[in-house]
């Protein structure tokens, strides 16, 4: 817990990246209490090695959580810190914007002048600040923590609750057998807890009771999200728990998954809560903001562990910056495993609305095949294939609300759902693709569509046009059309259906549903039975 920290080089195995020269990159995390930077080398063999980490205390959360506005002083303080970081990056030879990713979490995201903040940082440093939402934080956390979980087979027995108590929010993933069962963000953070006690004149026991009351409400919310049907493991992330592990475990190397007895954590928490901030700063070489927040953060972990009657807590050294570095190392692509987690989450949502799962899966698979075979026409990347697949799975969930306007209700339900791995922007895009699976073509006056930039409007139209073709191919809802072969012939798209001699029903549906594709891609569509010659 220091103001400026340089860590030893650390190697992290990740998915293989294309061979090439070593690439030096950096990630910067603008949080509620500090601005942190990690500099790393991405190796040709698919590993990254951390070269340096820097931390500077900047209390953005104190203002954002109080009045939802960042002061001019705080903005300039942040710009000053980032200017210094940029000078350090030049010393490491990092000068290209593509080699630096800057993200902001809860504090900046909740500030009403977040755009002014981002603009000022850009003017001062050239850095583009990305205020990532809870879904993106969950995705990045998943990428950082899963290698640790896979390295410990004993955690496969039961559910792992991965929790990080940050300055503004508590992030949670529920993982079982390598699969994410649930992800959620709670408005419980160490700095928020400190803010609840500001101006309160009360004895130490009374202040402690107030903290516990706030924390227990969130613990109950977490409990509601977890079925008590198997053993539970608690995996704690965050600097506060790493600090506790270093204090209590003499043999922890700081990299492996540590096993921390709950009883020991409780005693340390009691000691920290009994000390004032000045004493914590002096005894533990902490910054003042760290001294303020470490007690409430550790109390949150302790009460969560005690609620589930856990004798030990696993402490993981990974952090948001590790996940960001993993993301940069794979070029921002979604791995097959991560894609599967998104699809699992979409299927779970569909089942909540009693969707026709067989039809939805058939349409999704056909949409995927259309996407793959028409890459030369649509020019989209693999992320968009996932968005199309999810939209295809969920395009009829609005039927439970209203059959006549089910496409409009599908947009609403998807847009405001919690799908693991998809950001709010991506959920909107999926919702719009599902919204245009039938009836009207996109119009500027339609909800949300007209506010999209042109590139996203075109992307939504391309995906929705392909979705309509996939729906027509399964018009009988029998799943009899499984394989397709697409070719461009005489300025038209010909979809051949191998193995079927009669596709007359599907041809009728295709004539009714292919107009959007024709208008988007400039290609009429012909559906043809029989094998491709």
């Amino acid at each position: 817990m220091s103001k400026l920290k340089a860590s030893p080089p650390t190697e992290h195995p990740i998915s293989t990246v294309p061979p090439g020269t070593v690439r030096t990159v950096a990630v910067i995390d603008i949080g509620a209490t500090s601005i942190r930077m990690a500099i790393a080398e991405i190796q040709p063999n698919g590993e990254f090695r951390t070269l340096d980490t820097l931390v500077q205390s900047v209390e953005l959360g104190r203002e954002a959580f109080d009045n939802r506005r960042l002061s001019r002083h705080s903005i300039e303080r942040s710009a000053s810190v980032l200017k210094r970081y940029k000078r350090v990056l030049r010393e490491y030879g990092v000068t290209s914007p593509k080699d630096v990713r800057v993200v902001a979490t809860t504090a900046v995201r909740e500030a009403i002048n977040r755009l002014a903040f981002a603009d000022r940082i850009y003017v001062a440093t050239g850095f583009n600040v990305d205020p990532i939402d809870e879904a993106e934080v969950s995705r990045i956390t998943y990428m950082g923590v899963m290698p640790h979980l896979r390295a410990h087979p004993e955690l496969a027995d039961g559910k792992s609750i991965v929790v990080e108590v940050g300055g503004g929010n508590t992030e949670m993933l529920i993982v079982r057998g390598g699969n994410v069962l649930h992800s959620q963000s709670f408005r419980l953070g160490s700095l928020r807890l400190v803010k609840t006690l500001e101006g309160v004149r009360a004895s130490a026991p009374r202040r402690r009771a107030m903290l516990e009351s706030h924390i227990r409400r969130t613990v109950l919310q977490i409990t509601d999200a977890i079925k008590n049907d198997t053993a539970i493991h608690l995996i704690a992330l965050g600097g506060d728990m790493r600090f506790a592990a270093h204090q209590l475990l003499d043999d922890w190397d700081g990299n492996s998954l540590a096993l921390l007895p709950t009883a020991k954590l409780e005693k340390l928490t009691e000691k920290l809560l009994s000390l004032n901030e000045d004493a914590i700063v002096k005894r533990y070489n902490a910054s003042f903001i760290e001294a303020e927040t470490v007690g409430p953060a550790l109390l949150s972990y302790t009460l969560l562990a005690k609620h589930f009657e856990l004798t030990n807590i696993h402490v993981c050294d990974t952090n948001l910056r590790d996940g960001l570095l993993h993301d940069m190392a794979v070029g921002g692509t979604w791995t097959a495993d991560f894609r599967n987690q998104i699809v699992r989450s979409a299927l779970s949502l569909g089942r909540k609305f009693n969707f026709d799962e067989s039809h939805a899966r058939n349409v999704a698979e056909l949409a995927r095949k259309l996407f793959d075979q028409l890459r030369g026409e649509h020019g989209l990347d693999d992320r968009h294939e996932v968005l199309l697949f999810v939209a295809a799975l969920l395009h009829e969930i609005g039927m439970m609300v209203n059959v006549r306007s089910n496409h409009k209700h599908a947009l609403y339900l998807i847009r405001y759902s919690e799908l693991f791995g998809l950001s709010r922007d991506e959920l909107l895009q999926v919702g719009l693709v599902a919204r245009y699976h039938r009836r009207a073509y996109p119009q500027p006056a339609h909800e949300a569509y007209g506010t999209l930039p042109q590139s996203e409007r075109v992307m939504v139209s391309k995906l929705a046009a392909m979705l309509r073709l996939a729906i027509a191919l399964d018009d009988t809802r029998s799943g009899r059309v499984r394989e397709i072969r697409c070719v461009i012939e005489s300025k038209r798209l010909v979809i051949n259906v191998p193995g079927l001699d009669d596709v007359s029903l599907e041809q009728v549906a295709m004539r009714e549903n292919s107009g959007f594709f024709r208008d988007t891609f400039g290609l009429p569509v012909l559906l043809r039975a029989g094998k491709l010659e």
Side-chain angles (χ1 to χ4, degrees):
M1 297 175 66
S2 58
K3 294 182 179 180
L4 185 63
K5 177 178 69 175
S7 63
T10 305
E11 292 189 357
H12 303 260
I14 57 171
S15 302
T16 303
V17 295
T21 59
V22 173
R23 177 186 173 201
T24 305
V25 301
V27 292
I28 300 173
D29 167 22
I30 303 175
T33 61
S34 62
I35 300 178
R36 301 169 182 266
M37 178 169 72
I39 305 170
E41 286 181 343
I42 296 178
Q43 307 290 334
N45 64 353
E47 296 180 350
F48 71 83
R49 185 168 69 98
T50 303
L51 302 176
D52 203 357
T53 61
L54 300 175
V55 183
Q56 285 287 298
S57 295
V58 181
E59 299 181 42
L60 299 177
R62 190 176 296 278
E63 296 173 344
F65 304 152
D66 190 29
N67 56 26
R68 298 189 63 210
R69 178 177 288 277
L70 301 174
S71 69
R72 182 173 178 274
H73 172 77
S74 293
I75 294 175
E76 291 304 319
R77 165 75 172 148
S78 300
S80 176
V81 169
L82 291 169
K83 283 180 182 177
R84 278 184 282 148
Y85 283 3
K86 187 172 184 178
R87 289 196 291 269
V88 173
L89 290 178
R90 281 200 293 266
E91 294 174 4
Y92 278 93
V94 180
T95 57
S96 174
K98 68 181 177 59
D99 291 328
V100 182
R101 186 174 181 194
V102 184
V103 303
T105 52
T106 316
V108 173
R109 188 172 65 239
E110 292 188 7
I112 59 177
N113 60 336
R114 58 187 175 275
L115 293 180
F117 174 89
D119 290 348
R120 177 67 188 111
I121 297 303
Y122 181 77
V123 169
T125 66
F127 291 150
N128 286 299
V129 179
D130 180 15
I132 57 176
D133 62 16
E134 294 92 339
E136 181 74 352
V137 172
S138 292
R139 182 181 75 84
I140 293 168
T141 300
Y142 169 85
M143 296 186 69
V145 77
M146 285 309 295
H148 292 274
L149 299 188
R150 293 193 182 101
H152 291 77
E154 68 273 16
L155 296 179
D157 177 24
K159 294 177 184 175
S160 293
I161 309 173
V162 182
V163 175
E164 179 169 7
V165 180
N169 284 4
T170 292
E171 308 295 339
M172 179 190 73
L173 291 175
I174 303 175
V175 182
R176 184 175 186 176
N179 293 315
V180 176
L181 303 180
H182 185 68
S183 65
Q184 195 166 346
S185 181
F186 303 91
R187 287 177 64 83
L188 174 78
S190 56
L191 189 56
R192 287 195 202 272
L193 288 169
V194 170
K195 293 289 293 179
T196 64
L197 298 181
E198 284 187 354
V200 175
R201 295 184 178 181
S203 63
R206 175 59 181 158
R207 293 169 67 87
R208 161 68 180 269
M210 293 175 65
L211 284 176
E212 285 201 19
S213 176
H214 283 283
I215 295 168
R216 289 188 190 280
R217 284 200 291 269
T218 300
V219 169
L220 290 175
Q221 289 179 293
I222 292 175
T223 304
D224 289 341
I226 302 171
K227 291 182 179 179
N228 191 20
D229 57 354
T230 186
I232 288 175
H233 309 286
L234 181 60
I235 316 296
L237 311 181
D240 296 302
M241 281 299 289
R242 293 194 295 272
F243 161 76
H246 281 296
Q247 294 296 317
L248 299 172
L249 302 174
D250 295 331
D251 58 345
W252 188 40
D253 59 11
N255 295 317
S256 59
L257 206 62
L259 194 63
L260 181 62
T262 302
K264 285 189 175 182
L265 177 63
E266 186 175 16
K267 288 182 180 179
L268 176 63
T269 302
E270 295 289 347
K271 180 189 293 186
L272 290 166
L273 290 173
S274 70
L275 298 174
N276 60 34
E277 287 82 6
D278 290 335
I280 295 174
V281 169
K282 184 176 181 181
R283 181 175 299 188
Y284 298 104
N285 190 31
S287 68
F288 183 77
I289 185 61
E290 290 169 331
E292 273 191 309
T293 58
V294 64
L298 295 186
L299 181 60
S300 301
Y301 291 109
T302 300
L303 292 178
L304 186 59
K306 292 180 69 177
H307 178 83
F308 288 107
E309 300 180 345
L310 301 176
T311 56
N312 295 290
I313 303 173
H314 296 270
V315 181
C316 185
D317 185 51
T318 193
N319 53 53
L320 183 65
R321 291 163 303 288
D322 288 333
L324 289 167
L325 288 170
H326 276 265
D327 204 31
M328 292 186 75
V330 299
T333 59
W334 289 347
T335 64
D337 179 57
F338 183 72
R339 176 193 184 280
N340 290 338
Q341 300 299 332
I342 297 173
V343 171
R344 282 174 55 87
S345 183
L347 287 170
S348 178
L349 179 63
R351 289 164 188 155
K352 288 181 181 178
F353 291 98
N354 197 30
F355 73 149
D356 183 344
E357 185 167 346
S358 176
H359 174 61
R361 284 178 177 271
N362 290 338
V363 170
E365 284 298 328
L366 289 166
R368 181 186 61 78
K369 290 172 181 176
L370 285 165
F371 185 96
D372 187 56
Q373 296 181 37
L374 295 174
R375 288 181 182 274
E377 300 300 320
H378 59 65
L380 301 174
D381 61 31
D382 289 342
R383 286 195 180 206
H384 296 119
E385 183 271 323
V386 179
L387 300 185
L388 173 59
F389 197 92
V390 172
L393 286 175
L394 300 176
H395 72 278
E396 286 189 337
I397 64 171
M399 297 281 282
M400 177 164 282
V401 180
N402 184 282
V403 174
R404 180 177 176 81
S405 301
N406 73 82
H407 54 301
K408 296 179 182 178
H409 293 296
L411 165 60
Y412 181 88
L413 293 174
I414 294 170
R415 184 179 186 183
Y416 296 106
S417 68
E418 294 289 341
L419 280 181
F420 171 73
L422 297 185
S423 68
R424 285 294 156 199
D425 287 344
E426 289 161 345
L427 283 172
L428 173 59
Q429 292 161 10
V430 170
L432 285 169
V433 174
R435 186 254 191 269
Y436 293 120
H437 83 271
R438 64 195 288 265
R439 294 197 176 182
Y441 294 2
Q443 300 294 330
H446 287 171
E447 177 190 0
Y449 178 80
T451 63
L452 296 178
Q454 184 185 43
S455 60
E456 292 184 19
R457 293 198 307 272
V458 171
M459 179 268 291
V460 165
S461 293
K462 289 179 177 179
L463 297 184
M466 285 185 279
L467 176 56
R468 291 194 184 196
L469 299 189
I471 292 170
L473 288 167
D474 196 49
D475 185 65
T476 63
R477 294 180 179 257
S478 64
R480 69 193 204 102
V481 177
R482 298 285 185 176
E483 295 299 325
I484 56 173
R485 300 290 185 270
C486 298
V487 293
I488 306 298
E489 261 180 27
S490 303
K491 297 183 180 181
R492 65 182 178 180
L493 170 64
V494 179
I495 303 175
N496 295 274
V497 183
L500 291 182
D501 296 325
D502 180 11
V503 290
S504 55
L505 293 176
E506 289 84 1
Q507 287 171 335
V508 172
M510 189 62 71
R511 283 194 292 270
E512 294 175 351
N513 285 274
S514 61
F516 190 11
F517 185 92
R518 178 200 61 218
D519 293 348
T520 302
F521 291 94
L523 293 170
V525 180
L526 172 65
L527 182 63
R528 192 161 59 191
K531 294 183 179 180
L532 177 64
E533 296 179 358

